Amino acid sequence: MSPSRDSGQTAAPTASGGDTTRERILTAAMEEFARHGIAGARVDRIAKLARTSKERVYAYFRGKDALYADVAAREHVVIAEATQLDPSDLPGYAGRLFDYFVARPDHHRLITWGRLELPDTTAAADDHAQALIARKIDQLRKAQQAGQLDPSWDPADVLALVNQIATTWAAQPEHSEAAAAHAVDPTTAARRAAVVTAVERLFPRAH
């Protein structure tokens, strides 16, 4: 099969989800996509890192876009499970998001490459991300109905603003470098405190 980019869905593998070859391919692909983006990623490097062949990679995935979609979809789920949105404590949620991407800047790059290179696709990653976003918006709406969150805000705006604030430093590494050199307090803890305080002022914790 040709190694050209393909925006199709992930091909259904013949083995179970516990297939170690497939897992190695996904792990290797995450590293490759995070480092080189989608266009710059090479299937031969992914295969080598996964200790398999290009042909085996294409036995599981139709092309790089399909492989990226599977990797990104899994990452969206991992992020959601690791950070756990609590609508009654949005500052705490922002802090967890900040911590996640500080510890894993390559994961942020992975998601960002998809936004830059595949803006118009309907890949599996988009489907998973949209489902997760919809659930979070519904959680926020229910919190408003329960009196835990200011109902004057549209819950879609709440989620977007909190996510943007929480990922400010991950999305702007040049500002992180500047802060390390010029901020009154150059520590990561100070950057985290600023994120949490900003979200607290917009969306105070429920009492």
Side-chain angles (χ1 to χ4, degrees):
M1 186 174 291
S2 168
S4 61
R5 293 180 65 193
D6 179 354
S7 60
Q9 300 295 319
T10 302
T14 56
S16 70
D19 186 325
T20 56
T21 300
R22 188 173 189 275
E23 291 302 313
R24 290 200 309 271
I25 291 169
L26 289 166
T27 299
M30 180 168 188
E31 181 176 327
E32 179 74 5
F33 287 130
R35 182 175 299 174
H36 301 287
I38 302 166
R42 290 175 50 180
V43 175
D44 58 341
R45 285 197 299 250
I46 293 171
K48 182 177 180 180
L49 186 60
R51 305 191 306 281
T52 188
S53 65
K54 288 175 63 175
E55 292 74 20
R56 190 65 172 163
V57 174
Y58 286 115
Y60 287 103
F61 306 95
R62 295 195 188 106
K64 284 199 294 182
D65 286 6
L67 179 52
Y68 173 83
D70 204 320
V71 171
R74 288 157 60 99
E75 178 60 14
H76 281 299
V77 172
V78 169
I79 294 170
E81 291 178 350
T83 58
Q84 290 293 325
L85 173 67
D86 178 355
S88 68
D89 182 13
L90 292 177
Y93 169 65
R96 288 189 292 277
L97 275 176
F98 176 92
D99 292 339
Y100 185 88
F101 288 119
V102 164
R104 304 166 186 83
D106 54 326
H107 292 219
H108 188 271
R109 289 197 303 272
L110 173 79
I111 300 301
T112 301
W113 279 119
R115 291 170 179 161
L116 293 173
E117 296 191 52
L118 301 176
D120 300 319
T121 65
T122 55
D126 295 328
D127 296 338
H128 282 268
Q130 287 302 312
L132 289 168
I133 290 169
R135 283 200 291 273
K136 289 180 179 180
I137 290 174
D138 186 55
Q139 285 180 269
L140 293 168
R141 184 174 289 112
K142 289 177 179 177
Q144 289 176 321
Q145 294 168 352
Q148 298 176 322
L149 183 63
D150 185 349
S152 66
W153 289 90
D154 189 305
D157 292 328
V158 174
L159 184 61
L161 288 168
V162 172
N163 284 351
Q164 189 68 28
I165 294 169
T167 59
T168 293
W169 300 102
Q172 302 180 89
E174 69 279 9
H175 285 282
S176 294
E177 292 179 13
H182 305 293
V184 174
D185 183 343
T187 65
T188 300
R191 306 287 77 73
R192 186 188 195 277
V195 163
V196 172
T197 298
V199 174
E200 173 72 33
R201 291 183 181 180
L202 279 173
F203 310 110
R205 293 177 175 87
H207 296 293

